[in-house]
Amino acid sequence: MPLLSNPEDVIGRRFDFIIAGGGTAGLVLANRLSENPDVSVIVLEAGNAHVDDPIILSPTGWVPQLFNSEYEWGLQSTPQPHSLDQRLFEFRSGKGLGGSSSINCLVYLKPHRADIDAFEKLGNPGWNWENYQKYSKKAESVHAPVPPVRQFRPTYNHDDVGHDGPLPVSFCPIASGVEYPLQKGLSELGIETISTGFGGETAGTYKALASLHPVKMTRTDSANAYLFPVIDRPNLQVLTGALVTKVVTSGDEATGLTADAVEFEHGGKFYQVLCAKDVILSAGAIKSPQILELSGIGDRSILEPLGIETKLDLPTIGTNTQDHFTCTGPAYELRDGNDIITGELIADPDFRGNLKDPYKEIEGPLPLVMSGYAFFPLHKAAANAQELIDKISAKINDEASPYSAGLREVYHVQLELLKDEDVPDVEIMVVPFSVIPMGPAGRAYVNVPPVLSRPFSRGTVHINSADPLAPPVIDPHIFEEDIDMEIITAGFKVSRAAAQFSPYKDIIAREVKPGPDVVTDDQIKEHIKSHVGTVWHMVGSCSMLPRDKGGVVDAKLKVYGTNNIRVVDLSILPILVSTHPQATVYAVAEQGDIIKADHM
């Protein structure tokens, strides 16, 4: 059992670094900062420790974790007027050591180099693809794949990935049997299988890596990779069940606010730990802005009606949020006799027993993760791509449009990405799990939905209560910008079109969602509106941008107007990357060695 702290070990003590949030980024920082034995570090995590939790360790454990308050916060959006019936949307955010790295779907993908270079273009020196790869490789230890039984083969360049980092990463040896036929169908549409997707060029189809131990076949996360191996360091304290409620500051806007302490709730009581150097918020894109606003740092017009004294008027906190939008479908019932493996089938002990022979090299339990992905630009998906680009360009450039000067500048960089025919705008993923019933039990089903990679719609997350236990108000503004619906509709049609070609069409018995009666663009859009959701990849709420462009933190991750408050998590990304962001969180946290350099 790792050595965790008790409240009496830490209350009233002074620490050099206080990390609010023991999630993906927070535990990377805890490890790296405590490498120096002369500094003291404390992690305050609201959730439980979950040490050796079999649900977390299981590669399919994310299914029973869904909407389980032991593992996630159970947050909801406001009603969304651009969805059918003004739906509310669930937002998954990890709670407990490991954070979202302990509840995600294990997908480990790197973005396109242009996604990361966009950060530097927006005024953040050093935040570019070369540094991304440097820090990503520092985090990961990619292991050679087990020889595949199926035709869906892992391919990558050895030099594109790291091999000595704390986080074991591997290719899942088992696939559903849908991935390779889908690749062949997409190739008929000009979307080719590529030899590597981990070196900065991601357009095409390929097999994803997973945060999966290559021998044990269990989930790897920031807790078991970064924290537990060093938990016995005498200069590192970790307190679970500790909800950070605010940062206690002194000073003013003229001299800059200084974080003197962090207040937290534990067991119904409120305590403080004192700060000698920096307070680092790593509570995620929903909770980090909430902590800042509860601390009196944010939009005066939001704080003062709640009775919170404004210590620093920074109205951009909680704005510029973005997330990957997706939907249910196209989804299919699959034919018998094609060696299909789905999450429901592999849960059957008899089915697993029959799989052991072809996968005899696997020593641990048989895993199944989502590993089939395709990424492609709008130009590959829509014949009217240029017309759509011209339309959104005209709107952004129209001085009468309701965009701030800062957002307009961010949009111009985002437009460059949209115009680039080598940079993906849409994703298709193979989901061999039925989170909701697709049809009669005992059959094999697969969902092959599109994902909008880089939405133009911008949302917000703000407090509406001074009570730190009250959830924040999340408004993602789904489909507020028309182009988002156009892009995801184009992606939906590509996914469906691939099913016209063998061998993909040969394994499909029937389309179950939306079904053959949904044909026209208007019908597809109505289906998407009624089945839309996010992929729980929110970014942007504490954007790393120049202050006059809407920034919350600078390129050294320090909150503007403060002397020693930093944010290190996905909330700092000013533009959403065009792939699943787990690898990006690790890279961002490793690049947090900026903090170490500032205190040398």
Side-chain angles (χ1 to χ4, degrees), residues 155-270:
T155 57
Y156 70 107
N157 291 337
H158 184 271
D159 292 341
D160 289 345
V161 296
H163 303 279
D164 301 308
L167 182 74
V169 179
S170 65
F171 289 99
C172 183
I174 295 179
S176 71
V178 175
E179 296 85 358
Y180 177 75
L182 173 63
Q183 284 185 326
K184 302 305 287 183
L186 289 172
S187 71
E188 296 288 343
L189 302 173
I191 301 168
E192 302 296 342
T193 301
I194 59 177
S195 61
T196 179
F198 307 102
E201 302 296 332
T202 60
T205 72
Y206 56 99
K207 185 170 185 174
L209 283 160
S211 47
L212 183 71
H213 195 282
V215 177
K216 299 176 183 177
M217 292 293 142
T218 53
R219 175 195 293 273
T220 57
D221 61 15
S222 64
N224 57 44
Y226 277 88
L227 177 64
F228 295 156
V230 303
I231 192 69
D232 59 349
R233 287 177 180 167
N235 62 330
L236 174 62
Q237 299 281 343
V238 179
L239 181 63
T240 57
L243 174 70
V244 171
T245 55
K246 68 178 177 180
V247 181
V248 180
T249 60
S250 60
D252 54 33
E253 293 197 36
T255 60
L257 293 187
T258 296
D260 299 317
V262 169
E263 180 186 275
F264 64 93
E265 182 272 334
H266 188 284
K269 296 181 180 180
F270 291 83

Side-chain angles (χ1 to χ4, degrees), residues 17-347:
F17 297 102
I18 303 172
I19 301 171
T24 313
L27 296 187
V28 174
L29 290 166
N31 179 307
R32 297 308 189 189
L33 290 171
S34 64
E35 287 174 336
N36 180 353
D38 295 328
V39 303
S40 56
V41 180
I42 184 171
V43 177
L44 300 172
E45 167 53 43
N48 293 322
H50 300 146
V51 178
D52 294 329
D53 187 323
I55 293 178
I56 287 178
L57 293 174
S58 168
T60 56
W62 62 271
V63 178
Q65 286 174 326
L66 280 169
F67 316 124
N68 183 332
S69 62
E70 175 62 26
Y71 301 101
E72 60 171 277
W73 285 99
L75 301 169
Q76 281 190 326
S77 75
T78 58
Q80 294 299 289
H82 297 283
S83 65
L84 197 67
D85 300 326
Q86 300 202 22
R87 293 177 57 203
L88 305 176
F89 292 89
E90 306 288 342
F91 278 84
R92 298 195 76 201
S93 181
K95 184 170 67 171
L97 292 179
S100 292
S101 71
S102 67
I103 69 166
N104 63 23
C105 298
L106 287 76
V107 181
Y108 194 89
L109 290 164
K110 297 190 182 187
H112 195 282
R113 66 173 60 244
D115 287 333
I116 305 301
D117 286 339
F119 302 167
E120 191 165 60
K121 287 182 179 179
L122 286 166
N124 298 299
W127 291 87
N128 52 47
W129 173 252
E130 285 70 26
N131 275 336
Y132 178 97
Q133 274 290 63
K134 169 186 170 182
Y135 288 108
S136 178
K137 291 178 181 181
K138 185 179 179 181
E140 67 210 15
S141 179
V142 174
H143 293 255
V146 174
V149 173
R150 297 176 181 271
Q151 293 171 299
F152 182 53
R153 300 182 181 278
T155 57
Y156 70 107
N157 291 337
H158 184 271
D159 292 341
D160 289 345
V161 296
H163 303 279
D164 301 308
L167 182 74
V169 179
S170 65
F171 289 99
C172 183
I174 295 179
S176 71
V178 175
E179 296 85 358
Y180 177 75
L182 173 63
Q183 284 185 326
K184 302 305 287 183
L186 289 172
S187 71
E188 296 288 343
L189 302 173
I191 301 168
E192 302 296 342
T193 301
I194 59 177
S195 61
T196 179
F198 307 102
E201 302 296 332
T202 60
T205 72
Y206 56 99
K207 185 170 185 174
L209 283 160
S211 47
L212 183 71
H213 195 282
V215 177
K216 299 176 183 177
M217 292 293 142
T218 53
R219 175 195 293 273
T220 57
D221 61 15
S222 64
N224 57 44
Y226 277 88
L227 177 64
F228 295 156
V230 303
I231 192 69
D232 59 349
R233 287 177 180 167
N235 62 330
L236 174 62
Q237 299 281 343
V238 179
L239 181 63
T240 57
L243 174 70
V244 171
T245 55
K246 68 178 177 180
V247 181
V248 180
T249 60
S250 60
D252 54 33
E253 293 197 36
T255 60
L257 293 187
T258 296
D260 299 317
V262 169
E263 180 186 275
F264 64 93
E265 182 272 334
H266 188 284
K269 296 181 180 180
F270 291 83
Y271 306 99
Q272 287 187 1
V273 288
L274 307 180
C275 176
K277 296 186 186 299
D278 283 359
V279 169
I280 304 167
L281 304 185
S282 294
I286 296 173
K287 290 291 183 175
S288 286
Q290 180 184 22
I291 293 170
L292 287 171
E293 290 183 337
L294 289 168
S295 306
I297 302 171
D299 188 337
R300 186 185 304 274
S301 67
I302 291 173
L303 304 183
E304 293 189 350
L306 301 176
I308 298 174
E309 178 188 356
T310 303
K311 302 290 186 70
L312 174 63
D313 188 20
L314 194 55
T316 50
I317 288 174
T319 66
N320 195 41
T321 69
Q322 304 142 65
D323 209 330
H324 288 139
F325 302 159
T326 188
C327 65
T328 303
Y332 304 99
E333 179 183 324
L334 303 174
R335 298 183 188 276
D336 293 332
N338 290 287
D339 296 325
I340 298 297
I341 303 172
T342 67
E344 293 68 43
L345 294 176
I346 205 169

Side-chain angles (χ1 to χ4, degrees), residues 396-451:
I396 289 168
N397 290 320
D398 184 351
E399 293 298 328
S401 296
Y403 305 130
S404 67
L407 179 56
R408 202 183 303 274
E409 191 162 345
V410 174
Y411 273 157
H412 282 302
V413 173
Q414 189 168 339
L415 274 172
E416 289 180 22
L417 298 173
L418 186 65
K419 293 174 182 177
D420 191 328
E421 297 187 23
D422 294 322
V423 177
D425 306 302
V426 194
E427 167 192 338
I428 289 174
M429 56 183 177
V430 177
V431 185
F433 298 88
S434 298
V435 177
I436 58 174
M438 293 287 183
R443 307 291 299 170
Y445 301 92
V446 66
N447 187 23
V448 195
V451 179

